[in-house]
Amino acid sequence: MDARHDRLVEELAGRLEPVRPLPRPAWRAALWLGAALLLGAALASRLAMIGLEGRGGTADIWLSACGAALTAVTAAYAAFATSVPGRSPRWALLPAPALALWVSGSGLGCLRMWFAASPPADDGHGLVSCFSFLVCVSIPLSLLMVAMLRRACPLRPNLTAALAGLAVAGAAAALLVPFHPHDASLSDILIHCVVVAGVIGLNALAGGRLLSRAAG
Amino acid sequence: MAESSARPGTGASASIMAHSIAFGGTLPVRPMIRPLAASPPSALEGRAREARTQTGMALEGDLAGLMAAAQRGDAASYRALLKACLPVVAGIARAQGVRGDAVDDVVQDTLMTVHHARASYDPTRPFLPWLRAITQRRAIDRLRRTARRPQEVYDPLAYEAEVDPTPAPNAGLEARERDAALARAVAALPDGQRQAVEHLGLRELSLDETAALTGRTKGALKVNLHRALKALRTNLMRGEE
């Protein structure tokens, strides 16, 4: 059996090529977040930022936006950290406080609109545009994230892919705030929850399989 | 490239082999069972533990240096690194519960993963936790595959030779026909042979009892029984044909 190992060692050493060590997870997360910001800037140049007009002073909107952005940052770092062998899987708990902030901020906004004297009427066009915005932002960010994660060796591909999905969902929700036409209503919250769950689930399913192949 | 990589590939590989022998592949294995009552360590134990720690740190540094050189493309360092990893990986796999030939499979899988994932190693971080994580995952994958596989023994000869303990569907009919044929053949024998077969063979009486019943001598009964069996065998075989 030693001969079998020796043959494999010789074969691997024979086809060795120089590789550049991957940057640290913080740098890779910063790179991905920079790409997300570039995407947001591109959207701002094309779409009207009607979301901040007249409701920029509402606390729960900023709470929700900060929670979503922090979730994106922490989940992205956790995804890149868990993609490296030897890093603790407990990094997956890092986005939990930010996720709680995001959920509570969204819930507060929904409650505020529930008790408002004249809640705005939801039109189908607004919901569809909101849904399509989240999906259109999530797809390129997911593809970029999976492509970057595949360069590493995620030994827990499903966990890493789920964290990637959470980061993508948080970034998409944070980018949506300046373009959202009205305050968060119950239907908005439901749409957001469905899209976020879908993004995380699809990333965990498809991304997990892609990453498991990358891990050999 | 060759000059920069030759440094860790020469002296380090020799020291690594010595470390590997010293550790016997048990360095990265965490103890499975801790002692219930920890006694205070003696001075000798303390020195031994300190020596192991220093040796482990030296091994860690050597392996990290070899891996960094391998990332730069030094094949000699990479070869030394992989060979030094063999006992370490096998020890980790055994600690995970892998047994027998599967340990070698885990070693092979781990070496392949190390090769594919060598860019994910950060030279500024320790090497052994990186290697341990990969090995543990490959060992778990192997254990899962083994658990999923149905435990069947493939032995076609034993399957064909298996005897069905239950009676065949026509067993009763065949037995009845065989009894009837035997009764007809016995009835067709001469009186002396028929009596010998009935008393000695079918009723299982002794020679003395049969002699008393039939009034024949024991020698005559033996001769009659012998001739009767010979005649029955001939008649029944002829009937089967």
Side-chain angles (χ1 to χ4, degrees):
Chain A
M1 198 55 67
D2 287 340
R4 184 178 157 206
H5 297 330
D6 289 341
R7 276 198 305 272
L8 181 62
V9 168
E10 291 300 326
E11 181 187 344
L12 295 179
R15 64 185 192 204
L16 179 70
E17 292 178 359
V19 291
R20 191 171 58 186
L22 285 177
R24 294 188 173 188
W27 282 108
R28 297 162 67 206
L31 190 64
W32 181 82
L33 290 167
L37 286 177
L38 279 179
L39 182 61
L43 290 172
S45 65
R46 290 182 169 271
L47 300 177
M49 298 177 66
I50 57 176
L52 299 179
E53 294 174 359
R55 62 189 185 103
T58 312
D60 53 67
I61 291 177
W62 291 110
L63 200 65
S64 173
C66 288
L70 281 175
T71 301
V73 172
T74 52
Y77 180 81
F80 286 113
T82 56
S83 71
V84 177
R87 298 290 186 118
S88 173
R90 291 177 188 167
W91 281 110
L93 298 175
L94 184 65
L99 180 62
L101 184 68
W102 179 17
V103 171
S104 58
S106 301
L108 279 178
C110 184
L111 279 177
R112 183 173 58 80
M113 293 307 300
W114 185 270
F115 290 110
S118 58
D122 287 333
D123 53 341
H125 180 70
L127 289 181
V128 170
S129 63
C130 173
F131 180 83
S132 56
F133 179 93
L134 288 174
V135 171
C136 290
V137 169
S138 298
I139 288 175
L141 290 181
S142 296
L143 293 177
L144 178 63
M145 175 71 91
V146 171
M148 292 176 72
L149 288 172
R150 274 175 64 84
R151 291 196 61 211
C153 179
L155 296 176
R156 293 176 176 82
N158 291 329
L159 175 67
T160 302
L163 287 169
L166 184 61
V168 169
L175 290 176
L176 175 66
V177 171
F179 310 104
H180 206 239
H182 49 75
D183 287 338
S185 61
L186 184 60
S187 56
D188 274 338
I189 294 291
L190 290 177
I191 287 288
H192 289 194
C193 288
V194 167
V195 174
V196 167
V199 167
I200 295 174
L202 283 176
N203 270 273
L205 281 176
R209 293 186 180 183
L210 288 171
L211 295 181
S212 63
R213 286 178 200 162
Chain B
M1 184 66 68
E3 289 179 2
S4 63
S5 58
R7 177 182 51 81
T10 52
S13 60
S15 65
I16 280 172
M17 294 310 292
H19 292 320
S20 300
I21 294 170
F23 279 104
T26 59
L27 168 67
V29 180
R30 277 182 257 175
M32 299 294 287
I33 301 172
R34 293 182 178 180
L36 291 176
S39 57
S42 63
L44 189 60
E45 289 175 347
R47 281 198 295 272
R49 187 180 300 117
E50 185 180 353
R52 282 198 298 271
T53 304
Q54 289 177 353
T55 312
M57 290 174 63
L59 173 64
E60 169 63 60
D62 291 339
L63 291 177
L66 287 177
M67 188 64 190
Q71 286 179 328
R72 294 192 295 269
D74 182 8
S77 297
Y78 191 46
R79 190 178 293 108
L81 171 78
L82 294 181
K83 286 186 176 178
C85 287
L86 291 177
V88 179
V89 171
I92 299 172
R94 289 193 191 94
Q96 286 293 117
V98 181
R99 295 290 179 267
D101 293 340
V103 173
D104 293 310
D105 295 336
V106 172
V107 171
Q108 296 264 315
D109 293 344
T110 304
L111 292 187
M112 293 294 293
T113 306
V114 164
H115 183 76
H116 290 302
R118 62 190 188 280
S120 68
Y121 170 66
D122 184 355
T124 61
R125 293 177 64 85
F127 174 79
L128 284 176
W130 183 83
L131 178 67
R132 182 186 297 126
I134 293 176
T135 307
Q136 286 176 340
R137 181 52 53 176
R138 292 288 90 95
I140 290 171
D141 291 343
R142 174 64 56 177
L143 291 173
R144 282 178 179 165
R145 279 199 294 272
T146 306
R148 285 194 197 114
R149 193 179 306 149
Q151 301 292 324
E152 289 183 357
V153 178
Y154 179 71
D155 190 352
L157 290 178
Y159 179 79
E160 293 294 333
E162 175 73 17
V163 177
D164 189 356
T166 59
N170 56 351
L173 185 61
E174 287 181 357
R176 207 176 305 136
E177 288 178 354
R178 193 168 56 245
D179 291 346
L182 182 61
R184 283 195 301 271
V186 171
L189 291 172
D191 286 343
Q193 295 180 17
R194 182 178 53 79
Q195 289 175 351
V197 169
E198 285 178 349
H199 295 302
L200 294 174
L202 299 178
R203 296 177 185 171
E204 296 183 352
L205 296 178
S206 66
L207 280 171
D208 292 332
E209 291 169 337
T210 305
L213 280 174
T214 60
R216 300 176 189 273
T217 63
K218 291 195 287 186
L221 286 172
K222 288 181 181 176
V223 171
N224 281 330
L225 179 63
H226 174 72
R227 290 175 179 171
L229 293 178
K230 188 176 179 182
L232 286 175
R233 189 178 301 118
T234 304
N235 291 338
L236 292 175
M237 288 180 67
R238 190 184 302 140
E240 287 180 0
E241 291 171 359

